[in-house]
Amino acid sequence: MKYEAVLLDMDGTVLDTVQDIQDSLNASLREFGLPEVDTAKTKANLGNASRYLISHCVPEGTPPELTEKVLEFYLPYYDAHSHIKTSPYEGISELLEKLKNSGLRLAIISNKPMSTVAELAEEFFPGKLECAVGQSEQLRRKPEPDMVFKVLEDMGLRAEQCVYVGDSEVDIKTAGNAGMDCVSVSWGFRTREQLVEAGASRIADSVNELYNIITE
């Protein structure tokens, strides 16, 4: 087997989080009398952390101080409502078990806050992950490679021993910035066409295909 570890993005890769995010986003917009957004707009702006999401979903021309208030409301609101409708994509839990049984070490890297990442990882994937790392003041958000390097340090691995799996252009850039191989998945928040346009070199359209690519 070529790899020793698999580093996975969370949102859109192993967990379908879009409904909880959208519900929290719209609750935050309503709180300040701003118009709600639909699922398509939410998905289009996911992957770059909460500040990016909020700033791209408030109406154009919204004053920066109001955008900041929406963000400040959103962060704790989403943290408290992050696992109401969220669930693993079909076959993901079985995939992680299969990869682990094959001898691969597993970690999750997400632009979500560290506390939310740890909570969701423990709830949905108990005993399957060696590391689960989220954004913090010490670690810049993806596509900067800080969180990847943190996982490599904690696991005692080199980039060439790992493969990164994600669903967006952010993940492709993150893997590239870390000097790591990347596999993209087409069931998340970006279409296959968008992934190709972003430079994806390998795309899995199913959980089984992802397993075969990783273990080939």
Side-chain angles (χ1 to χ4, degrees), residues 192-206:
R192 199 177 209 283
E193 291 71 26
Q194 288 174 316
L195 292 171
V196 170
E197 186 176 337
S201 57
R202 293 182 293 179
I203 301 176
D205 296 313
S206 69

Side-chain angles (χ1 to χ4, degrees), residues 68-120:
E68 192 67 23
K69 288 180 180 179
V70 177
L71 175 63
E72 290 173 357
F73 183 92
Y74 171 82
L75 290 172
Y77 188 97
Y78 175 66
D79 191 48
H81 299 82
S82 62
H83 45 92
I84 296 171
K85 299 176 182 177
T86 289
S87 64
Y89 286 101
E90 185 176 355
I92 285 293
S93 295
E94 294 80 4
L95 169 68
L96 299 188
E97 189 69 31
K98 194 175 177 181
L99 290 171
K100 187 177 180 182
N101 290 339
S102 297
L104 286 159
R105 301 164 69 183
L106 305 176
I108 277 180
I109 298 173
S110 173
N111 272 340
K112 288 182 180 299
M114 184 64 217
S115 59
T116 307
V117 173
E119 183 179 355
L120 292 173

